[in-house]
């Protein structure tokens, strides 16, 4: 395989060498690649040793009165004469040069014109020896290669210079062919019926008609081929960017499409580009549909009202669901912690400002208390299990305290609605804690419900946002006041204020007076005189 590739490159180089006369601009000879140099200059002489890429060396020295190239003496000189001075000047320049510039400087050196006699002849031989050692030896034709160009060097120049891709195709088409090659460039190949051709025939840019026999391979590049009836090719018929017009003969090695792999790769690239373009078009269409189905900067789309209705109804259903959940929690609180709920509600009603301040302070202190409590429990061995329970239970207790306080606030709001006299509040019975809690939760959620309903309409966005803001502020205030009342009353276990209901207040006061009279002995019946008199 390496020999075949080398032979193909040699053939292409031979074609290039033939095309050189076609260029108007002169080209310099190719010089060998210098990989290292050694320069030695002393009183007894001056020496230069070069090593080339192929491993060969060139040694030139002017020492002890003799001019030596390699092991051969070319003549003699006198130390300090014109030749010695010119050679030392060249070596002084060569010290700073490498590879190509060094080879060019050595090739461009010429002996001084002032030399004469034997010294002039010795200098000329030295110059020829240096140029011969630096020259790259290339054969102008490959062994067994015959090249025929119909239109002279112009056609060959167009082949080699016009398309680098064509040269790579030619090299691929020549892979593995026989060493005997006949190349026709822009020339037709015609093999008559009674003629036999030996070796590989390469036709570049021409037409091929075979009626006889080719004992070898036929390679057609950028052309067409016709195999007539009775024709024969013992080797392969290789096509590189070519076409078969007629195929009635026999091909022993079969037909080979040299560019099939490249064509398949190109088809795959085109298919990939086609898929990418299709995906991009689909993405653009989806984006256009998304833009068409939402409110843009330039107005409304045809689906915008329907989406607004769905969003508003969804928000309203969400609000109703929250009210139902909180109502269930309020019913549970009224059933199992009625007295505690009443105490917290009384505190909210009697001192809402104080409860709000305590609630805000308690909210800010929640995280510090939680962290400090966990640290204090963790530092002791006994408190470690408690600390494990403290971490989740403290936030849960704080959340329950906030909900409990919010329900107490809702109870007060419901009682206020029951006393308001509105027709739509006739169903609220003030004596029923569940009714008042439910009514209060509805009252606290009215702002959110109205905001969701207004969001359905197209021109009430500002009012809907304002109502949402009012609802958020009211909810936060209710939570802060309720949370503060829970803290003040120790979750309803300590009464801060007496109830405002006169009946309840009278019952509490009466109970307190009876306790005082019993302690003082007032209200007892005196029967010591047997006369049945009572003293109060």
């Amino acid at each position: 395989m390496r020999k075949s590739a080398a032979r193909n490159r040699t053939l292409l180089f031979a074609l290039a060498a033939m095309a050189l006369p076609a260029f108007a601009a002169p080209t310099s000879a190719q010089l060998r690649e210098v990989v290292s140099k050694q320069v030695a200059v002393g009183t007894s002489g001056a020496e230069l040793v070069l090593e080339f890429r192929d491993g060969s060396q060139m040694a030139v020295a002017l020492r002890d009165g003799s001019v030596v190239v390699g092991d051969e003496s070319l003549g003699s000189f006198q130390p300090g004469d014109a030749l010695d001075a010119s050679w030392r000047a060249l070596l002084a320049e060569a010290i700073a040069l490498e590879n190509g510039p060094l080879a060019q400087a050595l090739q461009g050196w010429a002996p001084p014109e002032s030399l004469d006699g034997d010294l002039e002849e010795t200098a000329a031989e030295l110059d020829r020896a240096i140029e011969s050692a630096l020259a790259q030896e290339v054969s102008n034709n490959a062994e067994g290669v015959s090249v025929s160009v119909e239109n002279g060097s112009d056609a060959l120049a167009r082949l080699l210079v016009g398309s680098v891709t064509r040269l790579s195709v030619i090299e691929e088409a020549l892979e593995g062919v026989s060493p005997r090659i006949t190349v026709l460039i822009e020339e037709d190949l015609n093999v008559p019926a009674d003629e036999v051709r030996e070796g590989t025939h390469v036709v570049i840019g021409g037409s091929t008609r075979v009626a006889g026999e080719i004992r070898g391979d036929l390679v057609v590049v950028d052309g067409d081929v016709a195999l007539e009836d009775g024709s024969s090719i013992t080797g392969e018929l290789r096509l590189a960017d070519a076409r078969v017009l007629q195929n009635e003969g026999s091909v022993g090695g079969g037909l080979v499409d040299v560019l099939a792999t490249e064509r398949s790769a190109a088809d795959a690239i085109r298919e990939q580009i086609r898929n990418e373009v299709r995906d991009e078009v689909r993405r653009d269409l989806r984006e256009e549909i998304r833009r068409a189905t939402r409110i843009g900067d330039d107005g409304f789309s045809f689906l915008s009202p329907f989406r607004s209705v769905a969003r508003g109804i969804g928000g309203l259903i969400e609000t109703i669901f929250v009210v139902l959940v909180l109502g269930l929690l309020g019913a549970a609180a009224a059933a199992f912690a009625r007295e505690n709920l009443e105490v917290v509600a009384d505190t909210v009603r009697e001192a809402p400002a104080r409860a709000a301040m305590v609630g805000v302070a308690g909210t800010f202190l929640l995280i510090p208390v939680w962290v400090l409590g966990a640290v204090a429990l963790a530092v002791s061995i006994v408190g470690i299990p408690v600390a494990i329970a403290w971490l989740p239970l403290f936030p849960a207790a704080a959340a329950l305290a906030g909900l409990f306080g919010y329900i107490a606030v809702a109870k007060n709001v419901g009682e206020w609605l029951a006393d308001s006299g509105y027709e739509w509040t006739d169903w609220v019975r003030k004596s029923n804690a569940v009714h008042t809690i439910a009514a209060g939760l509805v009252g606290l959620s009215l702002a959110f419900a109205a905001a969701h309903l207004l969001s359905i309409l197209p021109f009430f966005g500002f009012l809907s946002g304002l109502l949402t803001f009012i609802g958020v502020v009211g909810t936060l205030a209710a939570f802060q006041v309720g949370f503060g009342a829970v803290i003040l009353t120790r979750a309803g276990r300590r009464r801060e204020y007496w109830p405002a209901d006169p009946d309840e207040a009278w019952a509490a006061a009466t109970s307190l007076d009876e306790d005082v009279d019993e302690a003082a002995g007032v209200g007892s019946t005196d029967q010591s005189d047997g006369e049945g008199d009572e003293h109060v």
Side-chain angles (χ1 to χ4, degrees), residues 183-249:
V183 182
L184 291 85
I185 302 176
E186 293 189 0
E187 182 178 352
D188 297 338
L189 173 64
N190 186 13
V191 181
D194 56 350
E195 185 175 343
V196 177
R197 297 286 186 95
E198 299 286 345
T200 298
H201 288 68
V202 180
V203 181
I204 303 174
S207 300
T208 303
R209 187 183 69 85
V210 180
E213 181 181 0
I214 295 179
R215 295 178 179 175
D217 299 322
L218 174 60
V219 181
V220 182
V221 180
D222 192 16
D224 52 65
V225 57
L227 304 180
E228 298 183 359
D229 187 18
S231 63
S232 175
I233 299 176
T234 60
E236 294 179 343
L237 173 58
R238 299 189 178 185
L239 303 177
D241 197 16
R243 58 178 179 170
V244 178
L245 301 179
Q246 182 180 357
N247 188 9
E248 299 180 357

Side-chain angles (χ1 to χ4, degrees), residues 412-434:
N412 287 335
V413 174
E415 292 176 354
W416 174 81
L417 289 175
D419 295 335
S420 63
Y422 296 120
E423 294 182 358
W424 57 276
T425 61
D426 292 341
W427 61 274
V428 182
R429 289 188 299 173
K430 190 175 180 181
S431 60
N432 192 324
V434 176

Side-chain angles (χ1 to χ4, degrees), residues 112-326:
E113 298 180 355
S114 60
L115 301 180
D116 55 4
D118 295 339
L119 187 59
E120 181 181 4
E121 183 177 354
T122 301
E125 291 184 4
L126 175 61
D127 187 21
R128 287 193 294 271
I130 294 175
E131 291 182 354
S132 177
L134 291 174
Q136 178 75 39
E137 296 182 2
V138 179
S139 174
N140 287 337
N141 202 357
E143 181 180 0
V145 176
S146 173
V147 180
S148 175
V149 185
E150 181 178 357
N151 298 322
S153 60
D154 292 340
L156 188 58
R158 286 195 300 272
L159 169 68
L160 298 176
V161 179
S163 176
V164 177
T165 305
R166 180 179 291 182
L167 292 178
S168 63
V169 171
I170 295 173
E171 182 176 5
E172 186 174 355
L174 295 177
E175 186 67 32
V177 299
S178 61
R180 294 187 58 186
I181 302 176
T182 300
V183 182
L184 291 85
I185 302 176
E186 293 189 0
E187 182 178 352
D188 297 338
L189 173 64
N190 186 13
V191 181
D194 56 350
E195 185 175 343
V196 177
R197 297 286 186 95
E198 299 286 345
T200 298
H201 288 68
V202 180
V203 181
I204 303 174
S207 300
T208 303
R209 187 183 69 85
V210 180
E213 181 181 0
I214 295 179
R215 295 178 179 175
D217 299 322
L218 174 60
V219 181
V220 182
V221 180
D222 192 16
D224 52 65
V225 57
L227 304 180
E228 298 183 359
D229 187 18
S231 63
S232 175
I233 299 176
T234 60
E236 294 179 343
L237 173 58
R238 299 189 178 185
L239 303 177
D241 197 16
R243 58 178 179 170
V244 178
L245 301 179
Q246 182 180 357
N247 188 9
E248 299 180 357
S250 64
V251 181
L255 190 146
V256 178
D257 187 357
V258 176
L259 299 180
T261 303
E262 288 79 359
R263 193 174 296 109
S264 300
D267 293 340
I269 294 175
R270 284 194 293 270
E271 182 65 22
Q272 180 180 0
I273 295 174
R274 189 181 300 109
N275 293 334
E276 291 177 355
V277 171
R278 183 170 59 250
D279 295 340
E280 184 67 24
V281 172
R282 289 177 177 174
R283 285 194 296 270
D284 292 342
L285 289 176
R286 286 195 294 266
E287 183 63 26
E288 289 294 335
I289 293 174
R290 283 195 294 268
R291 283 198 296 266
T293 55
R294 67 172 180 264
I295 298 177
D297 297 334
D298 54 350
F300 296 93
S301 67
F302 67 95
L303 291 180
S304 296
F306 301 99
R307 191 173 58 255
S308 299
V309 171
R311 185 170 53 247
I313 294 177
L316 183 60
I317 293 175
E318 181 182 354
T319 301
I320 295 174
F321 178 76
V322 173
V323 170
L324 290 177
V325 173
L326 292 178

Side-chain angles (χ1 to χ4, degrees), residues 64-103:
D64 298 332
S66 297
V67 179
V68 181
V69 176
D71 295 333
E72 180 182 0
S73 178
L74 303 181
S76 60
F77 74 99
Q78 293 294 328
D81 60 10
L83 177 59
D84 186 23
S86 177
W87 176 249
R88 290 175 178 269
L90 176 62
L91 295 187
E93 180 183 359
I95 292 176
L97 300 178
E98 299 290 341
N99 196 6
L102 174 61

